[in-house]
């Protein structure tokens, strides 16, 4: 068991105890032990972070973007150097395997790498719009911005926004997940070591009160949120009511459609890594598999591949789910489906008793007969795949389109025409063709479909979406008094 750590707030470049002196336990999902104590913050702590940020901001935003990006180059190097340490913290607090944590750190570092290219990308347009009249864009920092993040990617999701917001000249107040605050606490030290001035990057840990304080603070002008749809809606409403710029990404229910012509071996392997990777706790995880006509061969292969997974974070390749509440919730979906007549093709419930401690649950595949089953509707957020056989592609699309979420959807086929048809008929905004976790990589932005429970607000996160979200475009139009190039006298 690892030593217990203390995650204090990071304000003005130093770690400080929360104003109220309160801490809560961070438990390791693998064995239920307390691996850290995390600060529980409120208005006074957010206020202190904003005060430090406002003090540091003039100098930071006064630097050239190239100088700010230079800090990101150093940060990228530092994250690479400390990748194993950061990944070990992610595994400890979140439960995912060490291989998954290393991939998470590498993926987060890709956004830092992308932020290094902002001096080239943030230039904007410049054009002589009429004779003698020039127009150019400037992307100005917004000021102090807030970023609120979930537990499932303790390192990567904060990196979706933080490096870009900082490089665009803002000061960031980050509210970590109280379930997984350790990797970011260590990251704060690396940000400082990279040369980001004290106060420009702060961490305020905590729960609801800290989130509300970030949303309500009059000097925090923009807020990004990633988490469940329930809280995304709250944060969006709260910030919008105060006239703030807000982007709140919520939960998902991702549909995969397998057509009869799909490559069975590749499709099965991809589906298993989609619904079991990170113990199914990815907003991009496969949740529902719609097979167009019955495909027993594919299901057999999915079950066989998923059965090969073993419990563990190092030697094993499937970690636990985050906590008991989550485990209980996931079990309730399996039990309810079974009681309602669904067939459990692979039952991961046995993993609970096989592991003496922690919140373990093996891969579970459910073959439903009723499309109204709750497991087919709600985001389960665990290693559970709900399968439904549908007669044709129109039925598959109707089911996907009718769902209130709109995060991701994929089709498995060997037909380009069918792939095109699905790509343009899915409702979700992130589409995979023979790819079960269709995460767009920089420079692409990331975000669910507008008007669904997967996204509340404008813009997207990561890539150019985040560059635009964390800056104010200013258009400057100039005209100077006309002079005659042939008249040398005017220069005397
Ligand atoms: P969550 O909504 O419970 O928590 C997210 C953040 O909100 C945390 O920092 C938490 O402290 C805070 N919070 C929780 N309850 C709150 C409340 N009542 N009022 C104010 N703040 C509150 O989400 P989670 O369980 O940490 O993360 C899992 C969810 O995040 C899943 O639904 C998943 O799909 C979603 N997610 C979405 C994306 C995406 O890009 N759309 C990415 C990752 C995770």
């Amino acid at each position: 068991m690892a030593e217990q750590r203390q995650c204090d707030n990071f304000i003005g470049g130093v770690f400080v105890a929360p104003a109220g002196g309160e801490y809560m336990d961070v438990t390791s999902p693998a064995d239920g032990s307390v691996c850290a104590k995390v600060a529980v913050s409120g208005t006074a702590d957010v206020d202190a972070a904003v005060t430090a940020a406002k003090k540091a901001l003039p100098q930071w935003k006064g630097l050239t973007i190239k100088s700010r990006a230079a800090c990101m180059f150093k940060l990228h190097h530092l994250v690479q150097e400390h990748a194993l340490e950061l990944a070990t913290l992610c595994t400890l607090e979140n439960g995912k395997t060490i291989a998954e944590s290393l991939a998470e750190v590498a993926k987060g570092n890709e956004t830092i790498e992308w932020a290094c290219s902002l001096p080239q990308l943030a230039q904007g347009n410049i054009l002589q719009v009429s004779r003698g009249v020039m127009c150019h864009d400037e992307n100005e920092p917004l000021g102090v911005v807030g970023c609120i993040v979930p537990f499932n990617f303790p390192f990567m999701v904060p990196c979706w926004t933080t490096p870009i917001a900082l490089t665009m000249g803002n000061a960031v107040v980050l509210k970590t997940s109280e379930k997984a605050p350790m990797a970011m606490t260590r990251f704060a030290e690396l940000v400082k070591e990279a040369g980001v001035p004290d106060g420009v990057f702060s961490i305020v840990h905590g729960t609801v009160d800290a989130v509300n304080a970030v949303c309500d603070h009059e000097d925090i002008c923009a807020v990004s949120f990633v988490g469940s749809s329930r809280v995304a809606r709250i944060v969006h409403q709260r910030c919008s009511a105060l006239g703030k710029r807000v982007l709140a990404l919520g939960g998902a229910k991702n549909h995969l459609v397998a057509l009869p012509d799909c490559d069975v071996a590749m499709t099965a392997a991809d589906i298993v890594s989609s619904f079991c990777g990170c113990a199914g706790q990815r907003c991009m995880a496969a949740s529902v598999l719609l097979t167009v006509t019955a495909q027993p061969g594919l299901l057999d292969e999915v079950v066989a591949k998923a059965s090969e997974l073993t419990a563990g974070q190092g030697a094993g390749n499937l970690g636990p789910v985050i906590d008991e509440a989550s485990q209980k919730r996931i079990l309730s979906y399996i039990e309810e489906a079974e009681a309602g007549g669904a067939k459990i093709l692979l039952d991961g419930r046995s993993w609970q008793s096989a592991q003496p401690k922690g919140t373990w649950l093996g891969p579970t595949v459910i073959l439903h007969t009723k499309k109204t089953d709750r497991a087919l509707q709600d985001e389960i957020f665990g290693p559970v795949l709900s399968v439904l056989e549908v007669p044709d592609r129109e039925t598959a699309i109707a089911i996907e389109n009718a769902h209130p979420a709109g995060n991701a959807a994929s089709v498995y086929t060997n037909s380009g025409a069918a792939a095109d048809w699905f790509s343009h008929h899915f409702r979700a905004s992130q589409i995979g063709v023979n790819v079960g976790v269709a995460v767009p990589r920089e420079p692409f932005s990331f975000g669910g479909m507008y008007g669904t429970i997967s996204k509340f607000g404008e813009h997207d996160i990561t890539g150019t979406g985040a560059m635009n979200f964390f800056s104010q475009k200013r258009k400057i139009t100039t005209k100077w008094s006309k002079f005659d190039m042939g008249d040398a006298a005017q220069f005397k």
Side-chain angles (χ1 to χ4, degrees), residues 149-152 175 178 211 225-228 231 250-251 283 379 446:
V149 294
F151 80 82
N152 67 327
K175 210 302 279 172
E178 67 279 14
V211 170
F225 171 91
V226 181
S228 63
V231 185
C283 70
E379 182 179 39
F446 183 92

Side-chain angles (χ1 to χ4, degrees), residues 29-48:
D31 62 11
S33 65
V34 176
C35 53
K37 296 270 179 197
V38 62
V40 179
S41 311
T43 308
D45 305 285
V46 171
D47 203 37

Side-chain angles (χ1 to χ4, degrees), residues 193-239:
E193 199 178 329
V196 175
D198 292 349
V200 170
F201 175 68
S202 306
I203 292 182
V204 176
H205 298 292
T207 62
V208 180
D209 288 348
V211 170
N212 289 345
V214 167
C215 295
D216 295 349
H217 200 291
E218 60 178 7
D219 291 324
I220 293 183
C221 56
V223 174
S224 71
F225 171 91
V226 181
S228 63
S229 298
R230 182 181 68 84
V231 185
R233 192 191 300 273
I234 294 171
V235 166
H236 180 257
Q237 282 173 353
R238 203 162 178 127
C239 293

Side-chain angles (χ1 to χ4, degrees), residues 11 42 75-76 83 107 168 171 234 263 297 312 319 355 410 441 454:
I11 296 175
L75 184 59
H76 183 266
K107 184 82 178 66
M168 294 310 289
I234 294 171
D263 178 320
Q355 307 294 324
S410 295
R441 316 275 293 256
S454 297

